[in-house]
Amino acid sequence: MEIKDRSAVIFGNEMSKKTVSKAIKKKASFIKKFGDDSNKVYHLNAEPIPCLSKMGVMNLVSNEEIKEPFAFPSNAMVVGNIRMGFGHYRISIAIASCAKALGYEPYWLDLASFEATGSKMIRYQNDLYSKASRISQKSKLFNHFFWEPLNSEGFRQISYNAADQKNSELLVPIFNDLPKDIPYVATHVWPSQGAVHAGLTHVVNAIPDNWPMALHLSEGAIHAVQTPFAYYGYKILNGMDKKPLKGIPDGELFEIGHYVDHELVENVEIDCDARIERAKTNRPMRILLTVGGAGAGAKQFAAMISHLIPAVKENRATLFLNFGDHRTMYDYLCDKVPSFKELSVTHFENYDDVLNLVDSLKEKDEKGIHCIYNKGIFEAVYSTNLLMRVTDFMVTKPSELVFYPIPKVFMRHIGGHEVYGGIHGREEGDAIWECEDTKTMNLMLDRLLNDKDLLIHMANTIKKLKGEGLYNGGYEAVKLAVKGFHKE
């Protein structure tokens, strides 16, 4: 298959010879490192994902024994993603959930899960990203001089997109079994670029962040964003080069709202009314704290939990900590926070136990600190989604969780691109602003515990925002993919 060189000209903007040459060399280095499988045929098979069984999500996996292309049903829709932290998986679950609600059969395609050259390239880059995220939380100098500038300005430059476009050509063999016109939503730019290079015509590039960066460009796909700020920035490719750029053409960029699971959107009024009732009757405040996929922010968690321990002991608050797949964070807190271990109830490697906890919270209050951990990535991610419905507010960094319909307080960001998600949340009114340091966070936690009107106001705001369609982005992404477009 002839592959169009999308690294040389991006939305009508010609890249310099130096940029193109650098991109070609980078692709060559990955081939040298991981091999050339451009002529290999990868056939697929589908397996159920147990914890997402209610959504009917099927996981596409490599099957060397199959000699014929996988047969997709006529109402199939593919969600292309990668494991990079938890964010892209969480958005993928939201898209799959909305696809099922609209009558489609969702298929999960994690491009990092194969033994293909492109998959190895993704895993290699993800490992570097996760390591740098953790280092940024330990070294202020590294964070200030490297990590923050890279995430806010380095990834913003259009020359960065040129390199990614060239590298994503390595992903093409994985798409062998996908029909060219199958509806396809990508929740990371690489699965979007790979699908376009492979000739798919109904590709939606669901952009996750609120800070417009050329990193997320995937020419040939329909671009979807969640906010007006992101729309304007991508429409004119704002700040992505020293000179003004030609923007994204009409009909290729849409502001569609927040990507949220059908189960959460459908129950917004029920869940928010329950929060309001608990606040008005002075029941223990249920606080959900989430550990991200990179496992960073240990000191922030220790400081917050230490401050909340007295409220837990007095039964004014109950804490729910989802450690995801990072058991070491639990061990760290046991070592650093007095009384943490003795107050904790663990729900480790038992997803049914988590389901039972959630069901229990629909009927009655729980005491203490409840700690959730799962090695399985799907269980690790989705446990937070389940707990959102039965908790009062969530403490999280301003990541993809910015866009979810639950009252939120933001920890300090990890990576400069997250700042603008936090700004969006506070402007919409379903979140409190980013708390930059321990003192500010502890003050805000005290305010929420002692002034229930804050929580009630956020809960009522979420109901209003649902009525305005803010949380319908998942459905709209699916509709865009089904409609599709093809541009020569």
Side-chain angles (χ1 to χ4, degrees), residues 192-208:
S192 178
Q193 291 169 350
V196 171
H197 285 307
L200 272 64
T201 59
H202 286 56
V203 180
V204 170
N205 176 29
I207 296 173

Side-chain angles (χ1 to χ4, degrees), residues 342-393:
E342 63 195 64
L343 290 169
S344 293
V345 179
T346 57
H347 308 269
F348 287 0
E349 291 295 356
N350 189 337
Y351 191 64
D352 286 339
D353 193 22
V354 177
L355 295 176
N356 291 335
L357 172 64
V358 170
D359 286 341
S360 173
L361 287 165
K362 293 175 182 177
E363 305 295 331
K364 64 178 183 176
D365 295 320
E366 295 282 350
K367 295 181 179 181
I369 302 173
H370 292 262
C371 302
I372 294 97
Y373 157 78
N374 277 285
K375 284 183 183 177
I377 178 62
F378 294 103
E379 292 83 357
V381 173
Y382 202 60
S383 291
T384 291
N385 292 45
L386 294 171
L387 288 163
M388 282 186 214
R389 289 203 54 202
V390 292
T391 50
D392 293 318
F393 71 89

Side-chain angles (χ1 to χ4, degrees), residues 285 287-290 300-301 304 392-399 401-402 404 406-412 422 425-426 430-437 440-449 454-455 458:
M285 188 77 79
I287 305 173
L288 172 60
L289 299 96
T290 67
Q300 294 183 66
F301 278 95
M304 285 189 295
D392 293 318
F393 71 89
M394 176 169 60
V395 181
T396 179
K397 68 187 182 77
S399 58
L401 289 168
V402 162
Y404 280 72
I406 177 176
K408 297 168 287 287
V409 179
F410 297 132
M411 301 162 56
R412 192 183 190 283
R426 80 188 190 198
D430 60 357
I432 299 293
W433 51 84
E434 183 179 334
C435 297
E436 283 280 346
D437 52 38
T440 306
M441 174 59 79
N442 289 346
L443 177 62
M444 187 53 64
L445 292 171
D446 288 342
R447 288 283 192 180
L448 284 161
L449 282 169
L454 290 169
L455 180 68
M458 278 192 281

